[in-house]
Amino acid sequence: MGDYANYLVPERYRIDAPERTDMERRMIGWMQKNGWLKPGKKGKHPQIINEEGWGVTARGSRHMHPLEFHQMRIEGKVRWMREQGNLTGPEDRPQLTPKGMLKVYGSGGPDAVSRPFSVESWLEEKGALGGVAVEVVAEGKGVFTSLGAGLDEVTCPKCGASIVEQFVEMVATWCTAEGYPLVPCPECGAASEIRDYKMSMPWGFSQIGFAFWNTVGDLSEDFVAEFAAELGEPVRRVFLKL
């Protein structure tokens, strides 16, 4: 599938530098305090597009997503490791084979099958449960788009007309305009907030975005609501695919 992210983007257009810094400190601190994040490691998630970031823990993965998404990732990896001859033992107590020891730790040995092994903990350690990065637009207006995830439809909130072919130009005009003006619909002429145009893949319009890179699936509605409540304002979820 390639790299992908679920962004949580505040609905406010302008957030000044001191408040952006405070937002990052509060939200990352909140997630770390709950045991959902740990400092990222160089060369592992979330070191994507050269961003500093934090790794999602197994506890965080279970909390941030519908539980079945997390379980599917773990169970899928267990099945693959058994097929490759890296795991043996009962389902509730898998153990590494000598081949698995070599794969996981770079060394094998006859004691491999005597060691309990947690696939979940291993995936957390290697960064395979994803990571979180905070992206800031320091100057000008911020636009977080869906990129490779596509934008198949955009409609006017006033007349319902399809304006997908004109929308990118409308956003570009809004970005270069003074202030945060309403943007007229090219079909009916009625002006609306740029964020109120209805998009098949929502875009975010703000100067800060919290990116959840390569996690086990979509963020749950409960977690998004919890995040917004902790932030103290509404957020928009933006799916991005590279």
Side-chain angles (χ1 to χ4, degrees):
M1 179 178 182
D3 291 323
Y4 61 92
N6 284 280
Y7 279 76
L8 296 181
V9 182
E11 288 282 39
R12 267 192 297 155
Y13 296 135
R14 178 175 177 176
I15 301 174
D16 292 333
E19 189 173 3
R20 294 195 302 263
T21 300
D22 179 67
M23 275 186 174
E24 177 174 349
R25 178 189 59 79
R26 285 193 298 110
M27 299 310 293
I28 295 300
W30 169 65
M31 288 186 280
Q32 286 185 308
K33 181 179 178 181
N34 282 292
W36 304 334
L37 297 183
K38 65 179 184 178
K41 294 184 178 181
K42 188 174 183 180
K44 299 183 179 181
H45 295 311
Q47 301 293 338
I48 300 172
I49 60 172
N50 297 320
E51 292 284 348
E52 293 296 329
W54 297 265
V56 174
T57 65
R59 180 178 179 181
S61 182
R62 291 192 298 268
H63 185 83
M64 293 172 181
H65 310 91
L67 186 57
E68 60 267 25
F69 287 8
H70 178 79
Q71 290 301 119
M72 285 173 60
R73 173 69 63 88
I74 302 301
E75 291 168 4
K77 181 60 71 173
V78 168
R79 285 194 302 272
W80 181 84
M81 292 182 73
R82 287 187 182 277
E83 290 169 1
Q84 297 297 309
N86 296 323
L87 277 185
T88 187
E91 293 295 327
D92 62 345
R93 191 178 168 81
Q95 296 164 308
L96 288 170
T97 63
K99 180 182 177 182
M101 285 285 289
L102 187 63
K103 171 73 174 178
V104 173
Y105 299 117
S107 63
D111 62 339
V113 294
S114 68
R115 301 186 183 187
F117 179 68
S118 168
V119 172
E120 184 182 67
S121 296
W122 176 55
L123 291 177
E124 175 184 315
E125 174 61 25
K126 71 195 293 275
L129 299 179
V132 175
V134 181
E135 297 182 24
V136 167
V137 180
E139 300 291 337
K141 301 169 187 176
V143 181
F144 294 86
T145 74
S146 55
L147 293 182
L151 185 61
D152 298 326
E153 186 62 271
V154 182
T155 57
C156 172
K158 301 292 177 59
C159 70
S162 174
I163 55 166
V164 64
E165 294 182 2
Q166 301 100 318
F167 189 66
V168 171
E169 184 177 347
M170 292 164 61
V171 171
T173 300
W174 176 81
C175 283
T176 57
E178 190 74 24
Y180 301 91
L182 300 179
V183 180
C185 169
E187 294 296 327
C188 70
S192 301
E193 297 278 2
I194 192 68
R195 62 189 171 209
D196 288 344
Y197 283 89
K198 301 183 185 302
M199 292 161 271
S200 57
M201 295 293 289
W203 291 8
F205 300 90
S206 187
Q207 290 179 297
I208 188 170
F210 295 83
F212 294 75
W213 280 103
N214 292 343
T215 60
V216 301
D218 289 340
L219 302 176
S220 71
E221 296 292 342
D222 287 345
F223 176 71
V224 174
E226 187 179 13
F227 187 98
E230 185 69 24
L231 186 65
E233 58 187 278
V235 295
R236 177 174 300 199
R237 181 166 35 185
V238 178
F239 179 77
L240 175 148
K241 179 182 177 183
L242 296 182

